[in-house]
Amino acid sequence: MLAPPPATMPPPVEAKPVEAMPLPEEAVEQTEEAAEESPAPKITGFVEAGYHLLASEPDGQGSAGVPLRSYDGPARHSFLLHAAHLAVSHSFNDEVNATIEIDAGSDAVITSGGSLFDIQEAYLTYKPSEFSLTAGKFVTYAGIEVIEGPLNPTFTRGYLFGMAEAFTHVGAKAHYTTDMVDIGVGFINGWDQLVDINGAKMAMFKIGVTPSDTFFIAGSGYISLGSDEGDADRGLNSFDITGSASLSDSFALWFQGNFGMQKDPSDVIDESYSWFGLGVQPVYTADEFSFGGRIEYFNDSDGVRTGLGADKASLLNITLTPGYTLAEAFTLRFEYRMDLVLSGEVGGVDTTDLLGGESSQHSLGLGAHYVFN
């Protein structure tokens, strides 16, 4: 908000301009040298908003949230400010840099665990050669989709993003990176834990290979090093394979496979829960037009990831997202999405009617984003 104009004051008597005192030549040289040695930080960001409508209205759901969703799940029909995203990065030289990324909006409520504001990432990196060391808060290794909406081929997020992966980690990691390989290993607090609430840390690793300009594949994993009763990540292990193949200048196919398991945190029963999922995302771009799709299968055999209250649940998601860039950096996207329950069991009885008495739900979305750098 702009401050109100000051009250009218009479001009000062015999006001005279003040001449700047000349700096010594040595001070001028030091100032110019400091400006050259410390470049200005780079500021980028985006704003993304949209409207989401659950076309089907399962019985007994009323105004409750939409099952199986991440960032579009708070309401069944609503305008949402998904994210006002701001990223600031600074490189003093080729060896050291720091990055801070901040999100505000409804997406931040999910990634932060309840707040409209989230420090998505804040880390520093020292990279004297192909080896680098990073410490702070950073995003996960796993998956195709990312927190930043405009970077995804679809408007909404899939099952694997919301139910099989962490969002961010706090810890330290080391990488060896060349044009062909990216090998990383690190230790973190756990899944989405700013402050560690476990008895031990979690280890993570990544091996990425880019054998050509048209193909990329990476394997990553998270391994819990603790087994204390009550640990949030007790026995949690996750393994992910993600890759992409560019079939032409306009068409690429992304793919992902994920498998995870976790022991009962309460230690009431000596049992491990497990889940796995597979997905492909075709992406087509031609000038101002784009098209992103998603076909995804998710199996929650023990009913701990979906929140549907069912065992042996298997789900299928089909999403179609055409987009058009109206002006430079400003894009509109329309989306149709269908979620299907293929199987499930409640109280020992087989059923697929897990979505408010239905076996499917259909939704529409309209999104817009502006990206600046």
Side-chain angles (χ1 to χ4, degrees):
M1 178 181 296
L2 295 177
T8 302
M9 298 287 290
V13 179
E14 297 182 355
K16 297 181 180 179
V18 178
E19 296 182 1
M21 181 178 294
L23 291 174
E25 183 177 348
E26 183 179 351
V28 172
E29 293 177 353
Q30 291 177 350
T31 302
E32 293 177 349
E33 183 179 343
E36 293 178 357
E37 291 182 354
S38 181
K42 181 179 181 181
I43 300 176
T44 61
F46 67 85
V47 176
E48 183 180 40
Y51 178 77
H52 298 271
L53 170 66
L54 187 67
S56 56
E57 187 69 30
D59 296 337
Q61 294 297 300
S63 60
V66 182
L68 309 177
R69 301 303 183 88
S70 297
Y71 294 147
D72 60 316
R76 293 183 168 271
H77 51 88
S78 178
F79 290 101
L80 293 175
L81 170 60
H82 280 285
H85 178 86
L86 187 65
V88 181
S89 60
H90 185 270
S91 298
F92 189 79
N93 54 43
D94 293 337
E95 295 185 352
V96 294
N97 64 78
T99 297
I100 301 173
E101 298 193 23
I102 300 174
D103 289 321
S106 59
D107 290 3
V109 175
I110 305 301
T111 51
S112 70
S115 173
L116 285 169
F117 296 89
D118 181 47
I119 301 176
Q120 183 199 128
E121 294 189 279
Y123 59 85
L124 51 91
T125 300
Y126 174 61
K127 184 175 172 43
S129 60
E130 289 85 359
F131 291 94
S132 65
L133 179 64
T134 299
K137 184 181 182 185
F138 38 81
V139 295
T140 183
Y141 281 148
I144 299 172
E145 297 171 330
V146 296
I147 297 174
E148 294 88 344
L151 299 180
N152 294 307
T154 56
F155 187 28
T156 63
R157 309 298 194 280
Y159 300 146
L160 294 176
F161 177 85
M163 296 185 287
E165 306 166 11
F167 297 124
T168 58
H169 311 291
V170 175
K173 59 181 180 178
H175 275 253
Y176 174 77
T177 307
T178 67
D179 292 338
M180 183 173 291
V181 300
D182 181 12
I183 301 174
V185 62
F187 295 93
I188 55 176
N189 285 344
W191 279 38
D192 300 310
Q193 293 181 27
L194 187 63
V195 179
D196 201 355
I197 59 175
N198 294 312
K201 296 294 181 273
M202 177 176 282
M204 67 178 193
F205 68 87
K206 172 187 176 182
I207 302 175
V209 180
T210 307
S212 68
D213 295 337
T214 60
F215 185 76
F216 161 80
I217 189 169
S220 61
Y222 293 87
I223 302 173
S224 174
L225 302 179
S227 59
D228 292 349
E229 179 180 342
D231 279 358
D233 296 334
R234 181 174 180 265
L236 195 159
N237 300 308
S238 174
F239 304 95
D240 187 274
I241 295 178
T242 298
S244 69
S246 297
L247 305 182
S248 71
D249 292 339
S250 301
F251 183 76
L253 185 67
W254 285 81
F255 56 89
Q256 180 183 5
N258 184 285
F259 171 77
M261 66 188 77
Q262 182 177 13
K263 293 183 179 180
D264 178 40
S266 65
D267 203 27
V268 173
I269 52 177
D270 187 15
E271 183 176 330
S272 293
Y273 309 124
S274 64
W275 61 89
F276 72 89
L278 302 168
V280 293
Q281 292 195 337
V283 183
Y284 176 81
T285 56
D287 299 324
E288 292 82 11
F289 177 76
S290 65
F291 181 86
R294 178 175 58 232
I295 302 175
E296 196 174 35
Y297 172 80
F298 190 74
N299 185 288
D300 185 22
S301 60
D302 298 297
V304 296
R305 311 303 292 185
T306 61
L308 297 177
D311 296 329
K312 301 179 181 179
S314 60
L315 312 167
L316 181 68
N317 164 236
I318 300 175
T319 303
L320 306 174
T321 311
Y324 191 82
T325 300
L326 297 177
E328 186 176 357
F330 181 76
T331 302
L332 286 177
R333 293 194 288 183
F334 173 78
E335 183 169 285
Y336 165 73
R337 172 169 173 164
M338 175 174 59
D339 297 296
L340 298 172
V341 180
L342 303 180
S343 65
E345 183 180 290
V346 178
V349 179
D350 292 336
T351 180
T352 58
D353 297 335
L354 303 177
L355 301 172
E358 302 289 338
S359 61
S360 65
Q361 64 183 17
H362 306 263
S363 64
L364 303 174
L366 179 63
H369 63 255
Y370 177 84
V371 180
F372 62 89
N373 51 40

